Structures are given as structure tokens and as C-alpha cells.
Amino acid sequence: MDAKAAARAVKQGDVSSVYLLYGSEKFQMKEFAGLLEAKLIQAEERDFAVIHMDLGESPIQAVIEEAETVPFMVEKKVIFVRDTSFFTAAKDNSKIEHRSEALLEYLDNPADYSVIVFMVGQEKLDERKKVVKAVKKAGVALSFMPLGGDDLLRWVEKQAGKESCTLQQGVAEAIVRNAGTSLQTLSGEIEKLCLYAGTGGVIDVAAVEMLVARSTEQNVFALVEDIANLRLDKAMGIYYELLKQREEPIKIAALITRQFRIILQVKTLANQSYSQQQIASQIGLHPYAVKIAGEQARKFETARLEGILNHLANLDYQMKTGAVDKVLGIELFLLRLGAA
């Protein structure tokens, strides 16, 4: 079962006694947890019916004891349990002694008045552990991973619909390019844009450029995109804007280097028939960033990318040793790159 199917089941009243939520996409994980809470608990009952625990501070047997305790003044309770190592291969740095058999015994006969929701902020579970196998068999395990390129754009459009506004063609992509791929950040920016447009309003690219500020990383991403598309004037404009924001030229050069290294990695792996998701997992990057890097990679030959990275390595050395003025060094690099 995936997260969408599980959400539909919860809305229809089909709720499991135990959930195991894991993955790096915390925003969607919290949304699902919020859905469970809203479905099972009345707002006025939450002080008595919603419990938060942490396996870094409390043993699993304390969680089970809480689950088996009849709720006070309410019919049902939800126990949200944060975890970093009990279900994963991560090293447990706490001094808490967990007796996993307590959970295994509980899963054989869970309390009908309690719902336990384990929330694991890591991409993989340790499938060798008995507790992982038992929870998957007796409850529901859901993976929350970063959305792929097209899925992310659809999510942006859907969020705009929730805020009662619509996006012109290409606006979803403009929002992501300015704000990045964090769903939490994107949600806030979409809310801001829709407040600006008003109920039933339409968001255009101009509104995005005016209201959604880019981070330094996103500015460098756009700068490289402009270079790839031979828009040298725009690339230089972004560079000068970064200087106005008092960004250190050596940091800018390092971020440019990072982006070209990503482009080369994506190009190399794509040539080896790796999928977008496989590449994202291999180099630890968001799938949308892999998609854009793949588009940029098609505009550069492998040999040229390697030459650019060598040039950037030399530039870094020259800037740090004072052999070249830092601001001028990057200017000359961008001009040569745009003219090549």
C-alpha cells in the first residue's frame, strides 16, 4: 500500500492499529499524520487523546504501556512516536534499553482504543529486524520519498488549487526553480502567491519573479541554466546580484563547481542507462534536480564538462592564493564559458 491508498483508507474509516512512516519527505509524512489525527480525534479532545513520544528518550516498552492504558475521558488515542534507530540500521547513541519483544507481543493483540504511529526520518528500514517485519505484517508501513520531477510540478499545481488559485503554464516550474524542492518551503510560497492573486486568481511568471526570492544555491542553479542556454547577459546579472547581496566570490565559485559536477555525474550515469530515480539515489540528489541537470547535460559534451571543472579547480586555487582578483576571476570565467 502506498501513501495515497492509505490516505483514502483513513478517510473511509479503515484505520490500522499501527503505522510505520519512514522516508526523507517529512512534509508529506506530517500531512498523513495530521490526517490520522483529524480523522480519529476531535479538536477539543487532543489534549487528552494525542501523545508524543521519542524512542531516543523512552524505551519501546513505555510506548506499549501507553498504548495499553485505557484513554482518559476519550474513546480513542493516537500515539506519535519519533524514531531514528529502532527500525533502521542507524547507530543508537542513546542509553535507552529497548525490549523489542514488547512490541512483538503487542502486535499479536493490539488495543482497539489506541493507534501507534512510528515516524522514522530515514529513507530505509532495516529489513533484517524482526520488529520491521512484524509491523509490516500486522500494520501499515508507508514510504515518503522526494517527489519525482513531474510529480513535484503536479503537487505544486494541486497545492495552488487548495489555496483557490490557478497557475499559468510554466509557473509551477518557475516556483520550484526559485524556491527549491522542499515541500514545506513550496507550500509557504504558494500560499503567499495565492494571497497576492486573491481567491480565484491566476499566478503568472512575473508574480513568481517578484514575490519568490531565490536562495544563493537557487541563484547559482539559474546562473548555470542561463549559461547552458547561452543567456550570458542574464547569467552575469545573477552574478552581480549575488555580489550585491555580499556573497563571497569563492563560495559562488564553489557552488558553480558543484552544479557542473552534478551535471557531469548525471550525464555519466544517464549514459549507463540509469533511471532518474536511480541517479537521484546514487548521488543523493532530489529527483527534480536530477531532471533539470539532465536537461542541462544534453547541452554539454562530456569532454567540455571535464574541461570546465578543471578550469574551476584552477580558478579556485588562483583566487585562494591571490593570483587573480576574486570578482574578476569569476567574471572572466563566465565570459569565456558563454563565448565557447
Side-chain angles (χ1 to χ4, degrees):
M1 182 183 292
D2 62 15
K4 289 182 181 179
R8 286 195 297 269
V10 170
K11 290 174 183 177
Q12 294 167 4
D14 182 9
V15 179
S16 175
S17 297
V18 180
Y19 288 89
L20 177 54
L21 316 182
Y22 66 98
S24 57
E25 189 42 79
K26 295 180 181 179
F27 183 84
Q28 287 193 308
M29 190 186 296
K30 288 179 180 178
E31 273 194 328
F32 184 83
L35 172 65
L36 270 173
E37 183 177 317
K39 182 67 179 178
L40 297 173
I41 310 298
Q42 298 294 322
E44 62 274 12
E45 297 178 346
R46 286 174 187 169
D47 288 344
F48 299 100
V50 178
I51 295 98
H52 294 273
M53 302 183 75
D54 190 328
L55 292 181
E57 300 171 358
S58 304
I60 188 65
Q61 49 269 33
V63 175
I64 301 308
E65 183 180 343
E66 178 63 52
E68 291 177 334
T69 302
V70 178
F72 178 65
M73 296 180 65
V74 293
E75 292 184 5
K76 210 172 189 72
K77 62 181 174 180
V78 182
I79 307 167
F80 293 106
V81 186
R82 182 178 176 273
D83 169 54
T84 57
S85 61
F86 187 71
F87 292 99
T88 71
K91 185 178 179 181
D92 186 0
N93 294 318
S94 71
K95 296 182 179 179
I96 305 298
E97 183 180 348
H98 297 290
R99 292 195 299 107
S100 57
E101 61 271 17
L103 175 58
L104 297 175
E105 291 171 6
Y106 177 80
L107 292 173
D108 288 335
N109 186 29
D112 58 5
Y113 45 75
S114 295
V115 174
I116 304 177
V117 185
F118 294 105
M119 303 180 72
V120 182
Q122 295 193 38
E123 293 186 2
K124 293 182 180 180
L125 303 174
D126 189 344
E127 302 290 346
R128 300 167 298 178
K129 291 187 174 182
K130 289 182 179 179
V131 288
V132 172
K133 295 175 182 177
V135 171
K136 282 190 170 185
K137 182 178 178 180
V140 175
L142 301 174
S143 173
F144 293 86
M145 302 303 290
L147 298 175
D150 293 336
D151 288 338
L152 181 62
L153 298 181
R154 283 192 288 269
W155 183 89
V156 169
E157 291 171 352
K158 186 177 179 181
Q159 285 295 114
K162 288 181 181 179
E163 298 289 343
S164 302
C165 70
T166 56
L167 308 179
Q168 285 186 356
Q169 186 174 1
V171 170
E173 191 162 9
I175 294 172
V176 174
R177 293 201 182 209
N178 276 27
T181 55
S182 163
L183 298 190
Q184 185 72 50
T185 301
L186 287 169
S187 178
E189 295 296 346
I190 292 165
E191 181 180 1
K192 179 172 67 179
L193 286 164
C194 288
L195 283 171
Y196 171 78
T199 302
V202 179
I203 306 296
D204 57 18
V205 173
V208 175
E209 294 301 323
M210 179 174 65
L211 296 175
V212 182
R214 291 185 186 137
S215 66
T216 301
E217 288 77 5
Q218 291 304 119
N219 266 318
V220 169
F221 187 89
L223 183 152
V224 173
E225 177 76 359
D226 287 332
I227 287 292
N229 288 287
L230 302 178
R231 296 190 294 256
L232 183 60
D233 55 337
K234 288 188 175 182
M236 295 298 288
I238 292 172
Y239 174 56
Y240 294 137
E241 184 61 34
L242 288 170
L243 293 177
K244 286 180 183 177
Q245 295 170 12
R246 298 189 176 182
E247 291 291 349
E248 171 59 43
I250 289 178
K251 177 185 176 181
I252 296 171
L255 289 171
I256 292 172
T257 302
R258 176 180 180 271
Q259 185 58 29
F260 274 108
R261 187 178 296 115
I262 287 170
I263 293 171
L264 179 58
Q265 288 175 315
V266 170
K267 189 176 187 69
T268 301
L269 291 171
N271 288 340
Q272 296 173 15
S273 300
Y274 279 71
S275 70
Q276 193 178 101
Q277 287 289 347
Q278 288 172 326
I279 295 173
S281 176
Q282 188 84 1
I283 63 179
L285 208 61
H286 193 284
Y288 181 80
V290 171
K291 174 190 173 187
I292 300 303
E295 293 172 0
Q296 293 173 338
R298 287 194 287 270
K299 298 169 184 176
F300 294 93
E301 294 296 328
T302 300
R304 189 178 179 214
L305 287 170
E306 291 171 346
I308 290 170
L309 287 170
N310 285 332
H311 190 162
L312 284 164
N314 290 331
L315 177 60
D316 179 70
Y317 175 79
Q318 290 175 329
M319 289 193 296
K320 289 178 178 176
T321 58
V324 67
D325 179 80
K326 291 183 286 187
V327 173
L328 180 60
I330 296 178
E331 282 181 343
L332 291 173
F333 165 76
L334 293 175
L335 288 169
R336 287 169 183 158
L337 192 59

